[in-house]
Amino acid sequence: MRADAARNREKVLEAARELFASKGFEVPLDEIAAQAGVGPGTVYRHFPTKQALFQAVTEARVTAMIESAAEPATDAKAALFAFLSRMAEEAAVKRDMSDAITVTPQLRKNLHAALGSLLEKAQQAGQVRTDVTATDLVILMKGMLQSLHEGGNPEVLLQIVLTGLQSSRKP
């Protein structure tokens, strides 16, 4: 890809990220093109459908979350809770976050693995309950994210999740 084409693709992705976050999936592609400072044809060359653009934005956001889980942390519980908090914050701000949890099978597998790794480290440190599995946590987070779209209070719901994960034993 030529350098100018790559720059334009990034401009489109950035504009789409912002507009999908603020207006949801219904935002017109022409509005995305205008915010990116490119013509509609440029958007369609890179992303033939709005769904393709939405998928690229969603996958980039989930990939960034997965990469953040691999960053070294001195406090395993804090790293896990930060990851869960980021998921909740993005869900509260971005209307499409619950869709990001059900992305391509490989990306979903990577997200679950990242969450599982953080959970396992916090469990090994004695900082969170050992009877919770990564699958339990994924299902719990999906439910919490869905409830946010139905008017749930993200701060309260996240606090309930985090409190429920606390280990009763001292590390």
Side-chain angles (χ1 to χ4, degrees):
M1 186 181 297
R2 294 183 344 234
D4 61 331
R7 278 191 305 275
N8 285 342
R9 184 178 193 283
E10 285 306 310
K11 287 181 191 176
V12 169
L13 284 170
E14 180 59 32
R17 247 187 309 277
E18 291 173 19
L19 290 171
F20 283 144
S22 64
K23 297 185 177 186
F25 185 74
E26 299 307 314
V27 65
L29 284 177
D30 288 348
E31 189 173 339
I32 293 170
Q35 181 156 327
V38 300
T42 299
V43 175
Y44 285 106
R45 265 191 302 283
H46 292 286
F47 307 99
T49 65
K50 189 191 308 187
Q51 183 61 37
L53 177 56
F54 179 81
Q55 187 71 23
V57 166
T58 300
E59 288 184 3
R61 193 173 55 250
V62 172
T63 299
M65 269 203 303
I66 292 166
E67 290 169 356
S68 75
E71 295 170 4
T74 56
D75 185 335
K77 182 175 99 174
L80 173 64
F81 283 19
F83 188 84
L84 295 173
S85 296
R86 181 173 176 192
M87 288 178 74
E89 286 169 13
E90 289 201 23
V93 174
K94 297 174 174 90
R95 299 176 190 188
D96 60 328
M97 185 57 189
S98 62
D99 294 331
I101 302 300
T102 57
V103 292
T104 64
Q106 185 60 50
L107 199 54
R108 182 175 52 246
K109 181 180 174 184
N110 293 348
L111 178 63
H112 292 190
L115 185 56
S117 176
L118 290 170
L119 176 62
E120 184 179 325
K121 289 174 186 170
Q123 287 171 327
Q124 289 172 350
Q127 297 174 313
V128 298
R129 297 169 57 144
T130 58
D131 60 341
V132 176
T133 67
T135 300
D136 294 335
L137 199 48
V138 167
I139 292 167
L140 185 59
M141 290 303 292
K142 279 185 179 183
M144 186 185 84
L145 297 177
Q146 181 59 38
S147 70
L148 295 179
H149 295 288
E150 296 173 10
N153 181 329
E155 292 172 16
V156 170
L157 293 171
L158 180 62
Q159 213 41 50
I160 291 169
V161 170
L162 299 181
T163 300
L165 285 171
Q166 302 270 359
S167 176
S168 59
R169 89 173 204 228
K170 300 294 180 210

